[in-house]
């Protein structure tokens, strides 16, 4: 797998997290607060950008908050399901 493919999978991973946040009815600020992270960090992650101050703990905290296992988020990628409803746009 080349770097572009890896980057694309990472972007889709974070889009799946945005979809899960929407499914839970959480605002960006509410989800960030409950996961113990800065809202700007969550916003960047959901946009597919990796901020400097980000770690796997954030990913695990979000999965815990959304009630999903990390493997489920990755499984959605393997199945080709982006999870992002096209009607939702980018935010």
């Amino acid at each position: 797998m080349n770097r572009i493919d890896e980057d694309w999978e990472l972007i889709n991973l974070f889009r799946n997290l945005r979809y899960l946040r929407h499914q839970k009815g959480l605002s960006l600020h509410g989800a960030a607060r409950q996961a113990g992270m800065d809202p700007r960090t969550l916003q960047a992650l959901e946009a597919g950008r990796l901020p400097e101050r980000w770690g796997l703990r954030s990913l695990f905290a979000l999965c815990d908050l959304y009630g999903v296992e990390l493997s489920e988020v990755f499984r959605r990628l393997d199945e080709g399901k982006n999870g992002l409803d096209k009607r939702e746009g980018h935010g």
Side-chain angles (χ1 to χ4, degrees), residues 1 3-17 45-50 54 56 59 73-74 77:
M1 182 179 304
R3 178 73 177 149
I4 293 172
D5 289 338
E6 290 172 0
D7 289 347
W8 184 248
E9 285 191 8
L10 190 60
I11 289 168
N12 282 331
L13 169 74
F14 292 123
R15 285 183 177 165
N16 283 335
L17 291 173
L45 290 173
E46 288 185 355
R49 297 185 311 271
L50 289 177
W54 174 82
L56 284 177
L59 185 56
V73 178
F74 281 104
L77 291 176

Side-chain angles (χ1 to χ4, degrees), residues 15-28:
R15 285 183 177 165
N16 283 335
L17 291 173
R18 178 173 52 198
Y19 171 79
L20 292 168
R21 177 174 59 80
H22 287 186
Q23 290 295 101
K24 288 289 186 179
L26 294 168
S27 69
L28 183 112

